[in-house]
Amino acid sequence: MTTPGRPEPPERSESEVRFRRAERRREKIYHDIQRDRAGNHRIPTWVMAAILVLLLAGWAYLIITS
């Protein structure tokens, strides 16, 4: 429904819709990277790495000893 005095918005082509979607995706990724670089992590990366190493070492221990 159009209002008097306002022109109808032009129809968007499929390529324009895809371009805008890709642009929004790029912006989201950019903002995610910037947020990650800020370093406001709740758990430090080294703690997560240490937990992963402990889990893998425990799993390997169980396999070797069984």
Side-chain angles (χ1 to χ4, degrees), residues 22-36:
E23 195 65 29
R24 284 192 308 266
R25 178 83 174 133
R26 244 182 250 117
E27 287 178 14
K28 180 185 180 302
I29 291 170
Y30 174 78
H31 290 298
D32 288 347
I33 290 171
Q34 293 303 317
R35 186 190 68 228
D36 291 344

